[in-house]
Amino acid sequence: MKKFINHVDTLLDESLRGFAKAHADLVEVSFNPRFVRRRAVTPGKVALISGGGAGHEPLHTGFVGKGMLDAACPGQIFTSPTPDQMLAAAGAVAGDQGVLFIVKNYAGDVMNFEMAAEMLDCPTRTVLVQDDIALPKEHDIGRRGVAGTTIVEKIVGAAAEEGRSLDDLKALGDRVAENTASIGVALSGCHVPALGGPTFELPPDKIEFGVGIHGEHGREITEFASATEIVKRMAEAIDEELQPKRGDRVLLHVNGLGATTLMELYLVYEVAHEFWCQEGVEITRSLVGNYTTALDMAGCSITLTRLDDEMIRLWDAPVHTAALRWGC
Amino acid sequence: MKKFINHVDTLLDESLRGFAKAHADLVEVSFNPRFVRRRAVTPGKVALISGGGAGHEPLHTGFVGKGMLDAACPGQIFTSPTPDQMLAAAGAVAGDQGVLFIVKNYAGDVMNFEMAAEMLDCPTRTVLVQDDIALPKEHDIGRRGVAGTTIVEKIVGAAAEEGRSLDDLKALGDRVAENTASIGVALSGCHVPALGGPTFELPPDKIEFGVGIHGEHGREITEFASATEIVKRMAEAIDEELQPKRGDRVLLHVNGLGATTLMELYLVYEVAHEFWCQEGVEITRSLVGNYTTALDMAGCSITLTRLDDEMIRLWDAPVHTAALRWGC
């Protein structure tokens, strides 16, 4: 699989250098250890720091800026960042109010963010995002964190910008995470540059239902079908989990995994929208596009977040990052 | 190639229905004939209308809104829209000040927009975008319009919002178009749903240098190489055409063709940035991401626009569309 790269070992840094220059008004990038920070940190606020393996861009580096993250620590592709990155990022952006880590539930990420939290001498809390309902709730490593992370980071980021306390933000983050459910479908595997070939192969008539954002196995390999059938099945899985009631207000996020066209993503949105409209659920906010990718995987995920007044207000609050921007 | 579709014949309308719902605050979609219009048209301004075959999203439908297009007319995938669409769109959004059409230089688009212009009884002008330098200037059908179209639509859109006259906007659009040059590279073909297979096949060690946004043949099929080598060749081609001088201010737009990751696009940006920095050219504005796609083609294009004070001011002016948003 051809890619625009020079060398597997330099890809991440060369890409981050371009990112830093393209968004020089917004971010600064440190390389040793690696982190992306907001150029202008609002004084006196809790610092919001996230991170994880690269390959999911714009998550998380594209969400650094006003009203969202103060810093993001990228690991190598599909590889957890290390505690020295979180420590350096905290050193650069955190003040007396402490640090809230937003962490997707993968063993390496959890362990490394925990180590950083223990080593920091300011107050810290962690919101663990585990929105991927492909695995059962009682799965021994828990559920994976996927596209719902964007929703958590946006809403908590807006609250942090208002100067809310660390405990407040932790409670809010948990509330958003608990009210968020996602499921993904792959039509193809993705190509990790270091591997050369695809992470997995699917026959022409099969899809991976419940795929993870690194190409992890989901619920099952099942028959390819019409978009309406696939999306209905995705929506039913989310609906069963979250059980939104008639009149509930929700945010519907259709996320592309990398190689799926915007035409298809809007079609997926249309089918999912119809599904919940027929249930009397009110889709009051939407996000359609590539936000949590899995390199060049063909596929998409659907995320639903049950909203309350506060969450809606915070979703609408101004944000200025490379990947999400409004009101600024 | 698997896609999220129900039927080739309904894909466009189902996708547009989702688009209309996801951006209901911003746009309205008409289906017979098809066009996307701004919900809130600023009174007394020239109407900006563009369009072209679908499959390049977010271009043009994602650029409808405040500070950019008043309407966009999507044809079927890679197929020109028909004059009745432009007439209906103009009927919906145009007033006494007339209509400026922004048209990519493809025979079908040019013919159909010309027919619409002849049939309209308000003043019309047309800006023809032909920024793709893959073909020689004296090519008998002229050069193709590609990713530079976004730049033209943004800058002219901001000027229209200020209430400038039709002749002014036409002159400005021509100036932006003349100062804009693009070149694309494909690492793979794209998959048109109606065809099933890829538009073209490239061996594992070849790339298509100068590819068009429908997979048209470019300058040559050449050896796959490092990102730095490929990007330098692209930058040299643009540089030779546009001949920016030391101290010139430019906008650098790296555009993904569909299936290329953001990591790679930022790496491409980095290499291109270095190239022009070394020439003493000042990159004062940037845009990196998927804006003019070719369905799921792996590849990217580089666009350079030579800017003046007015163009910079208009680029920075507020815009609120599905795909480009700032200051609102």
Side-chain angles (χ1 to χ4, degrees), chain A residues 10 12 40 48 113 129 144 184 192 320:
Chain A
T10 58
L12 177 57
L48 244 62
F113 274 96
V129 184
R144 305 175 293 225
V192 178
H320 184 178

Side-chain angles (χ1 to χ4, degrees), chain A residues 32-55:
Chain A
N32 190 17
R34 268 180 214 102
F35 65 91
V36 175
R37 62 160 289 183
R38 261 173 89 164
R39 196 169 272 279
V41 175
T42 306
K45 76 184 276 290
V46 170
L48 244 62
I49 300 179
S50 189

Side-chain angles (χ1 to χ4, degrees), chain A residues 244-304:
Chain A
K245 288 188 291 289
R246 190 164 275 278
D248 274 2
R249 291 163 302 167
V250 298
L251 184 156
L252 173 57
H253 173 28
V254 173
N255 173 60
L257 292 176
T260 289
T261 63
L262 217 42
M263 278 191 90
E264 292 166 84
L265 297 183
Y266 280 114
L267 187 158
V268 167
Y269 178 89
E270 163 68 11
V271 178
H273 193 282
E274 278 304 293
F275 177 90
W276 277 296
C277 278
Q278 280 179 19
E279 307 244 310
V281 174
E282 249 188 79
I283 299 172
T284 55
R285 295 295 181 275
S286 302
L287 185 67
V288 182
N290 296 310
Y291 292 96
T292 302
T293 57
L295 291 170
D296 60 352
M297 188 183 286
C300 74
S301 61
I302 297 176
T303 298
L304 203 74

Side-chain angles (χ1 to χ4, degrees), chain A residues 75-137:
Chain A
Q76 289 291 346
I77 288 177
F78 293 178
T79 304
S80 172
T82 46
D84 58 320
Q85 296 177 251
M86 292 70 139
L87 292 175
V93 299
D96 299 341
Q97 303 304 312
V99 175
L100 185 74
F101 288 130
I102 299 178
V103 182
K104 304 196 297 305
N105 187 33
Y106 298 98
D109 289 331
V110 170
M111 183 184 73
N112 286 310
F113 274 96
E114 254 174 29
M115 282 176 62
E118 278 166 25
M119 292 162 80
L120 274 172
D121 51 11
C122 67
T124 67
R125 297 283 184 282
T126 297
V127 172
L128 197 63
V129 184
Q130 31 196 342
D131 56 315
D132 186 349
I133 63 164
L135 301 179
K137 226 173 190 164

Side-chain angles (χ1 to χ4, degrees), chain A residues 9 15 57 87 89 137 215 233 286:
Chain A
D9 295 336
S15 178
E57 288 72 18
L87 292 175
K137 226 173 190 164
R233 229 191 118 190
S286 302

Side-chain angles (χ1 to χ4, degrees), chain A residues 146-173:
Chain A
V146 292
T149 312
T150 304
I151 317 304
V152 176
E153 294 182 354
K154 170 65 186 84
I155 291 176
V156 178
E161 205 68 37
E162 292 181 349
R164 302 265 288 271
S165 76
L166 183 57
D167 286 330
D168 254 29
L169 295 174
K170 157 73 176 157
L172 173 66

